[in-house]
Amino acid sequence: MARSQEKLGELVEIELKDIDRSFQISPERVRRIALEIPGIDVKVETRKSRGKRPDKCPVCSKELDSLYAENLDGERIQVGFKCSSCGYRGEIEEFDPMRYEFVLTKG
Ligand SMILES: [Zn+2]
């Protein structure tokens, strides 16, 4: 088990290097692998979007939690949402995943 995870980690690292250089490998594929490895955190940058708000996390398809803030009138308004499962976090008008950052965490 530990051995196979280690192997998978190496694989992803190799693939990430390839992506940096040439985009030959689908980022989608690497992302999916990376999300399943405990030693890798996935951070997601978002961009402006005109589409409909996602019901589920566009990265890992898990439920999204709403983020709220108070406006000047003291009203609670939704300002965005975040995934409880991966590193995805979006704003009301800016939620299309644009760039993924993979952070190797030790331990
Ligand atoms: Zn997610």
Side-chain angles (χ1 to χ4, degrees):
M1 179 68 182
R3 194 187 154 86
S4 70
Q5 272 184 12
E6 203 173 293
K7 194 115 187 156
L8 196 59
E10 282 173 16
L11 198 78
V12 171
E13 208 176 317
I14 289 164
E15 292 197 346
L16 292 181
K17 280 174 189 162
D18 276 349
I19 284 175
D20 267 353
R21 272 202 299 268
S22 62
F23 284 94
Q24 280 180 343
I25 292 164
S26 152
E28 194 128 356
R29 188 175 140 211
V30 175
R31 202 176 76 213
R32 220 170 285 141
I33 297 169
L35 280 170
E36 288 175 12
I37 300 175
I40 297 183
D41 276 355
V42 182
K43 292 184 179 174
V44 188
E45 273 182 31
T46 53
R47 67 177 169 206
K48 282 235 183 293
S49 172
R50 291 191 188 87
K52 202 169 165 274
R53 246 184 270 172
D55 294 326
K56 304 221 163 168
C57 177
V59 179
C60 71
S61 300
K62 295 272 163 57
E63 296 293 319
L64 290 169
D65 293 333
S66 296
L67 298 172
Y68 293 96
E70 271 188 15
N71 67 12
L72 291 174
D73 297 323
E75 292 167 331
R76 202 159 163 265
I77 52 163
Q78 189 180 358
V79 293
F81 29 80
K82 72 178 174 78
C83 178
S84 53
S85 173
C86 71
Y88 174 78
R89 189 186 170 110
E91 288 168 33
I92 288 298
E93 293 184 349
E94 196 174 318
F95 51 77
D96 274 354
M98 175 183 68
R99 204 171 74 89
Y100 296 91
E101 193 182 323
F102 299 93
V103 183
L104 288 168
T105 56
K106 287 174 185 170

